[in-house]
């Protein structure tokens, strides 16, 4: 692995171990819990918008795990 890529992942892991990141993920998970409720969706347009929002929020919540997986694969 080249040095720049190694530094990229090390900085990412450092960020994700901070209290600020943990608080942010807690907030995102709270938003997800609210967005997963479908009873208040009025039409298909709002449903598709909500789906897109959830896709992004899930990506954020899973970023640490996905980064760890990529790191492990790069270090094989």
């Amino acid at each position: 692995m080249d040095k720049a890529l190694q530094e990229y992942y090390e900085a990412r892991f450092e960020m994700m171990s901070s209290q600020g990141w943990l608080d942010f993920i807690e907030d995102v998970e709270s938003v997800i819990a609210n967005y997963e409720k479908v009873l208040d969706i009025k039409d298909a347009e709002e449903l598709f918008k909500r789906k897109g929002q959830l896709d992004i929020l899930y990506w954020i919540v899973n970023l640490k795990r996905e980064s760890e997986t990529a790191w492990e694969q790069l270090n094989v």
Side-chain angles (χ1 to χ4, degrees):
M1 176 185 330
D2 73 12
K3 186 163 179 60
L5 187 57
Q6 180 179 349
E7 290 173 354
Y8 169 84
Y9 277 101
E10 288 173 353
R12 179 174 276 194
F13 294 137
E14 182 179 339
M15 173 192 69
M16 290 177 179
S17 66
S18 73
Q19 187 60 49
W21 178 262
L22 298 173
D23 292 343
F24 173 66
I25 293 300
E26 186 177 314
D27 292 344
V28 168
E29 288 172 340
S30 176
V31 172
I32 288 172
N34 286 327
Y35 279 16
E36 287 178 327
K37 298 173 186 169
V38 295
L39 292 176
D40 61 338
I41 295 175
K42 299 174 189 81
D43 55 30
E45 183 178 337
E46 187 175 344
L47 177 64
F48 289 121
K49 178 181 176 185
R50 182 79 55 92
K51 183 180 181 299
Q53 291 168 325
L54 283 168
D55 284 343
I56 293 167
L57 293 170
Y58 290 140
W59 175 78
I60 292 169
V61 167
N62 294 314
L63 184 59
K64 182 176 182 187
R65 182 176 37 125
E66 296 298 326
S67 297
E68 290 168 344
T69 300
W71 174 261
E72 290 170 7
Q73 290 173 352
L74 288 167
N75 286 299
V76 171

